[in-house]
């Protein structure tokens, strides 16, 4: 189990020698390995520039990209670009948190869109609900190519305590830029931890256990790009990661019947999703003639199915 990295996030007080801290820090981790990924990052930064609220900073964290991220961000005024050795999105977000100065955070993926009213809507929700550690707006979705999709998205919860909802995987925060977080809440939980795959869920659970949230349906704040394949489709990595996340939660919910039920419901649902991904990974390995992957994922898939059969008999 990986211990949480300490993330100091308190901004320096204004002393006359530095510009005033912005209201919002937009942290964008990225790994740019292809011209298409470079194009999508540029597109994402253009959506930030269209915000109706201008009191923000952009911190792009280049997570060891093979291509020149600085050449992309240089076209966008006011963007701070940091480079680090490849460590994954959780490490990159923590790097961005440390370098930022805003009172609120938005964690924006490098291929999603921040819709024009996003920052203004989040700040208004915080002003109306100052007790909340985070606020969540509605998302739109698009295809990988950026086209509209024919389906709708699930309504947001009406509750303000989201811990059991998230633990039970009854609803989920997709994408990260749906939410805006108060700096104090991010500091209180120590930023992101890195179970390599489910770091978003791990972070949301810790914040939701400590703070109430407010969800609002209008306006939509972000547009999520749907992929046919992504890092979340790596069944082996995601199974390992979600089990780390849920192992951390069990001591907190033991003895609470409602929370225990949410724990088992969420772990079961996520396990099924990523066992199904193992079958997809097996087929992908055959098509690619990657026999090492075929053997590994085949053995894992058989083992998971055997475990499920034993559980049904017990």
């Amino acid at each position: 189990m990986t211990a949480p990295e300490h993330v100091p996030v308190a901004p320096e007080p204004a002393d006359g020698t530095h510009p005033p801290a912005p209201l919002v820090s937009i942290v964008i981790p990225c790994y740019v390995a292809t011209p298409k990924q470079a194009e999508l990052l540029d597109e994402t930064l253009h959506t930030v520039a269209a915000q109706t609220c201008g009191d923000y900073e952009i911190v792009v964290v280049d997570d060891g990209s093979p291509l020149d991220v600085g050449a992309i961000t240089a076209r966008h005024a006011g963007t701070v670009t940091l480079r680090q050795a490849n460590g994954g999105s959780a490490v990159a977000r923590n790097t961005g948190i440390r370098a930022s100065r805003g009172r609120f955070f938005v964690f924006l993926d490098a291929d999603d869109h921040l819709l024009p009213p996003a920052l203004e809507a989040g700040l208004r929700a915080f002003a109306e609900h100052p007790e909340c550690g985070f606020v969540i707006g509605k998302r739109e979705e698009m295809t990988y190519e950026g086209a509209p999709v024919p389906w709708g998205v699930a309504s947001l919860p009406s509750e303000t305590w989201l811990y059991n909802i998230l633990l039970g995987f009854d609803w989920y925060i997709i994408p990260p830029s749906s939410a805006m977080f108060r700096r104090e809440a991010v500091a209180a939980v120590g930023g992101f931890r890195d179970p390599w795959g489910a770091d978003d869920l791990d972070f949301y659970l810790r914040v939701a256990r400590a703070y109430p949230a407010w969800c609002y349906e209008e306006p939509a704040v972000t547009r999520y790009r749907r992929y046919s394949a992504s890092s979340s489709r790596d069944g082996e990595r995601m199974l390992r990661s979600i089990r780390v996340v849920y192992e951390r939660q069990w001591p907190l919910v033991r003895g609470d019947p409602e929370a225990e039920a949410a724990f088992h419901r969420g772990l079961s649902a996520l396990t099924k999703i990523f066992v199904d991904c193992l079958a997809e990974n097996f087929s992908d390995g055959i098509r690619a003639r990657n026999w090492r992957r075929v053997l590994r994922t085949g053995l894992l898939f058989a083992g998971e199915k055997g475990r499920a059969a034993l559980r049904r008999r017990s």
Side-chain angles (χ1 to χ4, degrees), residues 5 25 38 69 97 108 166 175 188 217 221-222:
E5 180 184 2
S25 294
V69 169
I97 289 167
L108 177 60
L166 292 168
E217 293 283 350
V221 297
T222 192

Side-chain angles (χ1 to χ4, degrees), residues 30-115:
C30 67
Y31 180 82
V32 179
T34 67
K36 181 61 177 178
Q37 289 172 333
E39 178 187 323
L40 294 180
L41 173 60
D42 185 61
E43 189 178 299
T44 292
L45 290 169
H46 277 296
T47 72
V48 175
Q51 290 301 297
T52 58
C53 167
D55 196 356
Y56 63 85
E57 64 177 354
I58 309 169
V59 181
V60 173
V61 183
D62 175 6
D63 189 32
S65 300
L67 299 188
D68 185 0
V69 169
I72 304 164
T73 58
R75 300 195 289 267
H76 299 272
T79 301
V80 174
T81 306
L82 309 173
R83 182 170 172 83
Q84 65 176 33
N86 181 246
S89 60
V91 175
R93 285 173 180 146
N94 284 344
T95 297
I97 289 167
R98 281 192 294 268
S100 68
R101 299 179 301 123
R103 290 168 52 195
F104 303 92
F105 284 107
V106 171
F107 299 105
L108 177 60
D109 285 345
D111 52 4
D112 290 333
H113 291 177
L114 203 62
L115 298 178

